[in-house]
Amino acid sequence: MVLKRRRPRDPEGRMTLSEHLREFRRRLFIAAATVAVASVVAGIYYDQVFAFLSEPFYRYARANPQNEISLNFGEATSALSNLISLSIFVGVVVSSPVWLYQIWAFVVPGLTRKEKRISLAFLGATIPLFLLGCGLAYAILPQSLQILYGLSPAGTSNIQQTSMYFSFVTRFILVFGIGFLFPVVLVGLNAIGLMPASRLIKGWRVSVVLIFVFAAVATPTADPFTMFVFALPLTALYFGAWFVCRVIDRRKEANRPEWLDVDDTEASEL
């Protein structure tokens, strides 16, 4: 039997198109398998997941016993559909460290050693910020529901379809999680030279306005409380990203060769 020799890895990380496709397929398979396994585990603990995500709803119900409020399965297949959708949602969130790493690992072979260190720091900040945003969304969810359900006129009830409620909750949580990745994107753009710190601080007023507009549009609720709770941390993270970018720019400037600043009409020491 003739064994096919494996092509030696290029020390500079270069790969052919077919190797890129095989690498992409392998990373995609690992990410999808991880999400699938996490979703199955979430399905096994579906009762606990259901209780955890529905707790803000029932907290409002307990605080307002005079109101008629409940979660309702409207169709025979609704419970099954809800089990599948919630399991996948939890699987995606729980497995985020793995699939985010797979994205990073797919990009790494084409990066220099310095860029690999930057991208690894980028990945290390992405995961906690995403989970922090999800946690903040869950923490303020009861107050948001209090405001929204409090707008119901007297004599009406809030008998809500379970699928609609959990669709709202999952979108609410994911919007916060993804929104908290905003400063990491800014730092990443700065690391590759597209977003200097001077530009960030010069346009901070416009950026703050855009953050509040984004918070108003992106959140599933229309209440000002949720908008401010979402926008204020994003504003703080924006200035935190500016500070990190400022440090990176100073290091770049310190390592910049002096001969690059010599005028074209002058002779350098080289």
Side-chain angles (χ1 to χ4, degrees), residues 4 11 28 43 68 77 84 119 126 134 154 157 190 202 215 220 227 229:
K4 185 179 180 180
L28 181 63
E68 186 179 357
T77 59
I84 294 173
S119 64
T126 298
C134 293
S157 60
N190 174 266
K202 185 181 295 183
M227 182 192 71
V229 171

Side-chain angles (χ1 to χ4, degrees), residues 64-205:
N64 300 272
Q66 73 281 3
N67 295 345
E68 186 179 357
I69 180 169
S70 64
L71 293 176
N72 177 49
F73 288 105
E75 301 176 0
T77 59
S78 295
L80 176 61
S81 299
N82 193 67
L83 186 153
I84 294 173
S85 60
L86 276 188
S87 298
I88 294 176
F89 166 73
V90 174
V92 170
V93 173
V94 171
S95 63
S96 58
V98 176
W99 54 261
L100 285 171
Y101 172 78
Q102 295 305 318
I103 296 174
W104 174 80
F106 177 72
V107 177
V108 157
L111 302 180
T112 64
R113 181 177 300 179
K114 182 178 180 180
E115 290 171 336
K116 288 178 182 179
R117 290 198 301 266
I118 295 173
S119 64
L120 185 58
F122 181 91
L123 176 69
T126 298
I127 296 171
L129 282 175
F130 175 75
L131 297 178
L132 179 63
C134 293
L136 176 63
Y138 183 82
I140 70 168
L141 189 55
Q143 288 76 19
S144 297
L145 292 178
Q146 179 75 30
I147 294 173
L148 294 176
Y149 291 148
L151 298 175
S152 301
T156 61
S157 60
N158 286 302
I159 300 176
Q160 189 167 357
Q161 292 288 340
T162 305
S163 59
M164 297 298 294
Y165 168 76
F166 283 110
S167 175
F168 165 78
V169 169
T170 52
R171 284 188 294 114
F172 190 83
I173 293 175
L174 284 177
V175 163
F176 272 71
I178 295 173
F180 269 52
L181 299 181
F182 169 64
V184 183
V185 174
L186 292 179
V187 174
L189 291 174
N190 174 266
I192 60 177
L194 296 179
M195 186 63 69
S198 57
R199 185 181 302 174
L200 288 177
I201 197 62
K202 185 181 295 183
W204 73 267
R205 293 177 179 84

Side-chain angles (χ1 to χ4, degrees), residues 196-219:
S198 57
R199 185 181 302 174
L200 288 177
I201 197 62
K202 185 181 295 183
W204 73 267
R205 293 177 179 84
V206 175
S207 298
V208 170
V209 172
L210 292 177
I211 287 173
F212 274 82
V213 172
F214 169 75
V217 174
T219 51

Side-chain angles (χ1 to χ4, degrees), residues 29-44 87 90-92 94-95:
F29 174 79
I30 294 174
T34 305
V35 172
V37 171
S39 299
V40 170
V41 174
I44 295 173
S87 298
V90 174
V92 170
V94 171
S95 63

